[in-house]
């Protein structure tokens, strides 16, 4: 692509020499030899001035307090009689003419300067601009969106709930009564020491909020931040979970397994398999932990999977009928399954990371890799 011509403004100002410009005055000044010489010298300097600074110098030299013209004008009282009126009349005209000429020439030189700059400092508007560093989505956001996409493809909607929760939604309505040992397994941040207000320790309270508002069939995933008082290579006090909930008639554990297997193959590769291990959660019964066959060794056993061939990825189970009781669902007609996974954990497994804290160090050398 050839550059567009730059747009310039041309200021045309032909220069008239002092001689031409002040023809009449020059003729009259012949009446006084000294005055004619003084004017001639000043005129020559003005004609020769090539930049505004030279004009300034000419002004000092020819119109300053000690210039020949000023000295001559001041000496009028001492001049012979016949010279006095001539010098008085034409001397002041000469002074006025030089002042005018200096101002005109200065203006002209300055516009010449503008012209020169317009010619040399052209802007090529077709040149590419300064490169601006392009941002990107954080790997956690990318992973969250990828997981959301997979479930959206299975017909799930997305729902969100508050990060500052009440004890009721975070524990009680999830079938975790006061004093239940599961409460102490979550290291909870309380807000302002109020035992009823806390930072949610998981996304499961959003299950309750969705079921309170809507009737089955329900197929939702619920992403968001959660908080636990935990900090080491595999735990940060804030992390992300994605919760899933399906409630309908005739839902079985086979549906749960099929859904999770579909998900795992979509995110980790088509040759992955899963296994369910019995576990306990207060709000699901039965409960399971779900492992995926190790994507690094293919299940043979390696350091990443601690030589077991399996990596734990999420918790799940069939919704406990007691939970349906809290949201006034007909527990004998409805079944459901729920699952919850850590987004950081999924991202770490997918990208072979070993230290979860790197997600939040904000080191661009790391962040930019994704
Ligand atoms: N909320 C559980 C946790 O944070 C995970 C879970 C969700 C388990 C849904 C079962 C069903 O550990």
């Amino acid at each position: 692509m050839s550059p567009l011509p730059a747009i310039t403004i041309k200021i045309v100002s032909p220069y008239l020499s002092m001689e031409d410009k002040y023809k009449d005055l020059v003729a009259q000044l012949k009446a006084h030899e000294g005055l004619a010489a003084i004017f001639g010298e000043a005129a020559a300097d003005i004609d020769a001035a090539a930049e505004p600074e030279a004009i300034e110098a000419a002004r000092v030299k020819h119109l300053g307090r000690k210039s020949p013209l000023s000295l001559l004008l001041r000496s009028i009282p001492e001049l012979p009689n016949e010279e006095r009126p001539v010098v008085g009349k034409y001397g002041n005209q000469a002074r006025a003419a030089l002042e005018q000429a200096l101002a005109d020439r200065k203006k002209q030189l300055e516009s010449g300067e503008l012209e020169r700059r317009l010619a040399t400092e052209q802007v090529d508007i077709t040149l590419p601009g300064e490169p601006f560093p392009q941002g990107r989505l954080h790997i956690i956001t990318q992973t969250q969106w990828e997981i959301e996409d997979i479930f959206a493809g299975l017909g799930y909607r997305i729902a969100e709930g508050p990060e500052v929760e009440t004890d009721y939604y975070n524990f009680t309505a999830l079938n975790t009564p006061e004093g239940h040992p599961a409460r102490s397994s979550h290291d909870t941040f309380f807000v302002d020491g109020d035992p009823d207000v806390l930072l949610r320790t998981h996304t499961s309270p959003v299950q309750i909020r969705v079921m309170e508002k809507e009737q089955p069939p329900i197929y939702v995933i619920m992403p968001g931040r959660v908080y636990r008082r935990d900090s080491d290579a595999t735990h940060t006090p804030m992390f992300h979970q994605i919760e899933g909930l399906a409630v309908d008639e005739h839902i079985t554990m086979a549906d749960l397994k099929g859904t999770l297997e579909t998900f795992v193959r979509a995110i980790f590769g088509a040759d992955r398999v899963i296994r369910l291990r019995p576990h306990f959660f207060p709000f699901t019964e039965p409960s399971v932990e779900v492992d995926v066959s190790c994507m690094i060794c293919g299940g043979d056993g390696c350091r990443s999977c601690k030589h077991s061939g399996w990596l734990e990825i999420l918790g799940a189970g069939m919704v406990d009928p007691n939970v349906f009781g809290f949201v006034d669902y007909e527990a004998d007609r409805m079944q459901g399954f729920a699952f919850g996974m850590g987004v950081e954990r999924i991202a770490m497994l997918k990208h072979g990371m070993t230290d979860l804290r790197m997600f939040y160090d904000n080191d661009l050398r790391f962040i930019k890799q994704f």
Side-chain angles (χ1 to χ4, degrees):
M1 197 169 54
S2 65
L4 291 177
I7 300 156
T8 57
I9 301 162
K10 220 169 168 64
I11 296 162
V12 183
S13 44
Y15 184 65
L16 275 182
S17 72
M18 293 293 285
E19 180 94 37
D20 291 337
K21 202 169 164 189
Y22 297 100
K23 232 188 205 106
D24 296 345
L25 181 61
V26 167
Q28 288 163 330
L29 287 178
K30 296 216 165 103
H32 191 279
E33 214 178 300
L35 201 50
I38 287 170
F39 187 86
E41 251 179 67
D45 279 353
I46 294 170
D47 282 343
E51 62 264 358
E53 295 75 50
I55 289 296
E56 231 8 77
R59 180 197 310 287
V60 174
K61 184 173 165 197
H62 299 292
L63 293 177
R65 272 181 49 78
K66 291 185 181 142
S67 62
L69 183 56
S70 295
L71 294 176
L72 179 63
L73 288 172
R74 255 182 279 147
S75 71
I76 288 177
E78 290 105 55
L79 288 180
N81 272 344
E82 67 279 12
E83 275 186 44
R84 244 181 262 162
V86 182
V87 173
K89 186 177 175 194
Y90 297 123
N92 280 313
Q93 284 186 17
R95 166 176 272 279
L98 289 176
E99 264 164 12
Q100 184 62 49
L102 283 163
D104 290 350
R105 185 71 179 132
K106 190 172 178 198
K107 217 161 120 196
Q108 196 174 32
L109 287 173
E110 278 167 357
S111 70
E113 169 76 2
L114 177 66
E115 211 174 322
R116 189 188 60 74
R117 284 175 56 179
L118 284 172
T120 55
E121 296 175 15
Q122 291 182 350
V123 175
D124 182 351
I125 59 169
T126 65
L127 285 175
E130 291 280 319
F132 188 81
Q134 197 180 18
R136 66 189 67 213
L137 292 172
H138 191 276
I139 177 62
I140 292 302
T141 307
Q142 291 183 42
T143 307
Q144 181 184 314
W145 287 13
E146 189 179 345
I147 297 168
E148 287 174 9
D149 272 356
I150 293 167
F151 283 101
L154 296 175
Y156 283 67
R157 286 181 305 114
I158 295 172
E160 289 184 341
E163 289 170 35
V164 178
E165 258 301 2
T166 59
D167 174 276
Y168 177 78
Y169 286 102
N170 198 77
F171 293 120
T172 309
L174 287 164
N175 200 33
T176 317
E178 221 164 299
H180 193 286
R183 288 195 174 208
S184 59
S185 76
H186 289 307
D187 278 319
T188 309
F189 286 109
F190 289 92
V191 174
D192 277 346
D194 185 333
D196 284 330
V197 184
L198 45 84
L199 300 183
R200 66 182 179 192
T201 57
H202 52 177
T203 42
S204 300
V206 190
Q207 289 187 34
I208 305 297
R209 290 181 176 278
V210 168
M211 288 190 283
E212 277 181 345
K213 276 218 207 86
E214 294 167 33
Q215 290 299 312
I218 281 180
Y219 293 88
V220 285
I221 53 165
M222 297 151 274
R225 295 188 188 91
V226 301
Y227 303 84
R228 290 182 200 175
R229 297 174 52 146
D230 233 347
S231 191
D232 59 39
T234 52
H235 300 88
T236 48
M238 183 285 299
F239 62 103
H240 297 74
Q241 284 191 336
I242 292 192
E243 190 88 6
L245 176 68
V247 183
D248 209 335
E249 292 177 41
H250 318 300
I251 289 221
T252 72
M253 205 146 179
D255 298 317
L256 171 62
K257 188 174 183 189
T259 301
L260 292 178
E261 195 167 67
T262 302
F263 162 70
V264 157
R265 288 178 177 169
I267 194 138
F268 291 122
D271 46 0
R272 301 272 68 78
V273 290
I274 61 170
R275 76 174 181 187
L276 310 187
R277 274 182 294 107
H279 197 70
F280 171 79
F281 295 104
F283 37 91
T284 46
E285 182 61 32
S287 301
V288 291
E289 270 188 339
V290 179
D291 297 338
V292 57
S293 55
C294 181
M295 59 279 303
I296 294 159
C297 60
D300 296 339
C302 68
R303 255 181 43 191
S304 292
C305 59
K306 300 200 184 88
H307 303 284
S308 70
W310 297 96
L311 295 158
E312 183 202 320
I313 53 158
L314 54 85
M318 303 306 290
V319 179
D320 192 305
N322 287 349
V323 173
F324 288 146
F326 278 99
V327 296
D328 291 331
Y329 276 8
E330 292 170 63
D332 47 353
R333 220 162 48 81
M334 293 300 157
Q335 295 89 43
F337 63 72
F339 55 86
M341 67 184 94
V343 180
E344 282 80 355
R345 180 153 179 81
I346 302 285
M348 282 173 82
L349 292 173
K350 212 172 143 70
H351 301 288
M353 288 172 56
T354 51
D355 194 332
L356 184 144
R357 290 168 297 197
M358 294 182 84
F359 286 127
Y360 302 114
D361 283 344
N362 288 332
D363 183 336
L364 288 180
R365 292 169 304 178
F366 169 73
I367 298 285
K368 278 164 115 173
Q369 292 177 47
F370 305 101

